[in-house]
Amino acid sequence: MSVSKRLIQAPMYYIQCDWEDHLNKISGEIWVSCKYKEQPSKHGKLVRMNICSDAGNPAVTATEDFNVNLLTHNAIQIGLKDSKFSCIFLAPRSIYSSVHKKSVTSLDIVEGSSCVSVSVDDDSNVAVWLADGEHKLITFTEHVGTVYKCRWFPSGKVILSYGADMNLKIWCSETGRCPVSLKGHKKAITDSAFVDRGRNIVSVSKDGVCKLWDCGEAICIDNLLEINCCINCCSISTCPNNYRLPESGSPPHERESGTDDKIVLTGSEEGDIHCIGIRSRKVLFSLKLQSAVNCCCCIKPGIFVAGCQDGSIHLISVENTDHIITSWLETNNPALSIMPYQENGFFVGHNDGSCVYRSIIDLDSTIRLNLTGPDGDPIYDICCDNKFIYTACRDSCIRKYSPDSYIVRHFQS
């Protein structure tokens, strides 16, 4: 069992999902709560008073030793009087409720643009739509069975989707045509990652295999990893400059491109993490966690974050393979999705509807940032267009947030 060098055990704060609607009204009342892991929750109420707030003194009364340090039309910071920890809750800028009629299971947006998005729901409808959420450009369904995820290729013109039918399908976003299907997995495909511009991709499956594909010829170049349990997630990183990758004993495949300095991390249902050099096909290190690894992402070269079924989150480095750098043990709610943010932190979507930002440069931070809106519905996916954050939720809504000013002020100052 892998040991963490540093454990972080801060409390989780919770707030009524529509808090901004109530606290923007005189005498509006909402509930709040605070819970340390494995301890009873502490509950309280916040009430908007019938007076204007003084500078730096929000016009809200709090019960049960809760206090309010900040209140705007879309953000509120709460804490407990006897605790150094507090949480900033941020309400969504926009809510898109007409794109899908059922649970939104995956979401992606063209990088650098807030115009074109792709998402998929429980009925396996893959929709391409504009950022206003009202104008669908195209909807297509060709998978047999549930679609787990959809992703834009780096070009922003082609879409990758996959799921229970064991196929990775490549779509034209303008016509909805699917000229390429990658076939070879023997069970449902759970995750994927692009190598550079996407000539090659990596996929993982419930069959326990991690595959390297060539998209142009629609062939599997090689199996990078084969284990005896379901692989839930994968993420690709460029290797740090000072890390020496093992050499391959054979020349690269003629259809292999951009893999020389790439590594891929995989997380399994049995808690196993494996890191593989893509070019060498060699396992660089393996770790064993106490719970299934549901999601993972690369934060910066050689630095990964993994989220587990028991709610724990782990920071892992290819340069420190004898231990885990940091573990956050703050909730029992499963981590379902992780997204890197600006190379200094990440957002984690949990099964209880919380979506929390954590910094990797300020590990002693006593503040959390939580994106609000879902009423206990899981956050299945998170994406970013370099300006706004979008979340995919079981309640069929896609929410848009603008967290930058709070992250800069509280986590990067």
Side-chain angles (χ1 to χ4, degrees), residues 2 10-11 29 81 93 95 102 107 129 147 150 179 197 202 207 215 223 244 262 311 333 355 361 368-369 388 400 413:
S2 300
E29 179 180 300
K81 293 179 181 178
R93 241 180 112 98
I95 301 175
K102 289 194 174 182
L107 171 70
W129 49 279
V147 179
C150 56
R197 300 298 297 171
V202 168
D207 62 12
C215 296
N223 291 342
R244 185 178 178 85
K262 299 299 187 300
N333 282 289
C355 187
I361 60 173
R368 293 285 180 266
L369 176 66
F388 301 108
K400 174 182 176 180
S413 58

Side-chain angles (χ1 to χ4, degrees), residues 35-54:
K35 178 177 173 55
Y36 280 88
K37 190 172 182 178
E38 311 300 345
Q39 294 184 22
S41 297
K42 188 166 189 175
H43 302 282
K45 291 182 179 180
L46 305 182
V47 181
R48 179 66 182 264
M49 297 185 294
N50 292 320
I51 59 173
C52 295
S53 62
D54 298 326

Side-chain angles (χ1 to χ4, degrees), residues 120 123-124 126 140-150 160-171 178 181 189:
V120 64
D123 278 340
S124 298
V126 181
F140 42 89
T141 54
E142 194 171 312
H143 283 277
V144 179
T146 303
V147 179
Y148 291 164
K149 286 187 180 179
C150 56
L160 177 71
S161 62
Y162 48 89
D165 65 2
M166 302 174 286
N167 295 327
L168 296 111
K169 291 184 175 291
I170 300 174
W171 309 82
C178 176
S181 291
I189 300 168

Side-chain angles (χ1 to χ4, degrees), residues 137-203:
L137 302 180
I138 193 169
T139 301
F140 42 89
T141 54
E142 194 171 312
H143 283 277
V144 179
T146 303
V147 179
Y148 291 164
K149 286 187 180 179
C150 56
R151 292 288 183 261
W152 285 105
F153 270 75
S155 67
K157 298 179 180 179
V158 184
I159 296 166
L160 177 71
S161 62
Y162 48 89
D165 65 2
M166 302 174 286
N167 295 327
L168 296 111
K169 291 184 175 291
I170 300 174
W171 309 82
C172 172
S173 63
E174 295 180 355
T175 66
R177 290 183 59 250
C178 176
V180 178
S181 291
L182 306 179
K183 301 181 179 181
H185 280 294
K186 297 179 180 179
K187 291 185 179 180
I189 300 168
T190 53
D191 203 3
S192 71
F194 296 106
V195 180
D196 284 344
R197 300 298 297 171
R199 174 175 171 176
N200 298 147
I201 62 174
V202 168
S203 66

Side-chain angles (χ1 to χ4, degrees), residues 206-379:
K206 291 183 178 181
D207 62 12
V209 180
C210 175
K211 289 181 177 289
L212 175 66
W213 302 87
D214 171 62
C215 296
E217 296 292 331
I219 59 170
C220 175
I221 293 175
D222 208 347
N223 291 342
L224 303 180
L225 178 71
E226 297 181 60
I227 59 176
N228 293 321
C229 71
C230 167
I231 304 178
N232 293 328
C233 57
C234 66
S235 181
I236 285 179
S237 168
T238 300
C239 201
N241 292 331
N242 57 348
Y243 185 87
R244 185 178 178 85
L245 282 168
E247 295 182 1
S248 174
S250 59
H253 189 279
E254 61 181 4
R255 300 296 300 178
E256 190 172 343
S257 175
T259 62
D260 287 351
D261 61 345
K262 299 299 187 300
I263 56 178
V264 59
L265 190 86
T266 66
S268 82
E269 187 67 20
E270 293 185 356
D272 296 304
I273 285 178
H274 299 288
C275 185
I276 305 109
I278 297 180
R279 174 66 192 88
S280 69
R281 316 288 199 260
K282 294 180 180 179
V283 176
L284 306 181
F285 68 88
S286 298
L287 299 172
K288 181 72 172 180
L289 302 181
Q290 293 181 340
S291 179
V293 184
N294 292 335
C295 48
C296 64
C297 74
C298 169
I299 303 295
K300 56 176 63 177
I303 303 292
F304 296 91
V305 172
C308 296
Q309 182 67 19
D310 62 3
S312 62
I313 303 160
H314 306 275
L315 186 65
I316 300 162
S317 171
V318 71
E319 297 179 282
N320 296 281
T321 58
D322 57 337
H323 61 260
I324 296 168
I325 300 173
T326 302
S327 294
W328 288 265
L329 309 176
E330 301 176 350
T331 177
N332 290 323
N333 282 289
L336 303 181
S337 51
I338 292 186
M339 184 196 72
Y341 195 67
Q342 298 179 348
E343 289 197 343
N344 293 319
F346 57 95
F347 282 90
V348 181
H350 287 273
N351 190 61
D352 61 355
S354 59
C355 187
V356 182
Y357 174 81
R358 292 175 173 88
S359 171
I360 66 169
I361 60 173
D362 185 8
L363 296 175
D364 293 319
S365 174
T366 58
I367 300 176
R368 293 285 180 266
L369 176 66
N370 196 337
L371 309 181
T372 64
D375 189 7
D377 288 292
I379 303 295

Side-chain angles (χ1 to χ4, degrees), residues 96-108 118-129 136 138-143 145-150 161-164 380-381 392-398:
Y96 307 130
S97 57
S98 61
V99 178
H100 294 283
K101 295 181 179 179
K102 289 194 174 182
S103 172
V104 186
T105 55
S106 186
L107 171 70
D108 198 14
V118 62
S119 53
V120 64
D121 61 25
D122 254 355
D123 278 340
S124 298
N125 295 311
V126 181
V128 180
W129 49 279
K136 289 185 185 180
I138 193 169
T139 301
F140 42 89
T141 54
E142 194 171 312
H143 283 277
T146 303
V147 179
Y148 291 164
K149 286 187 180 179
C150 56
S161 62
Y162 48 89
Y380 290 130
D381 209 356
C393 186
R394 188 177 64 182
D395 64 6
S396 79
C397 291
I398 295 166

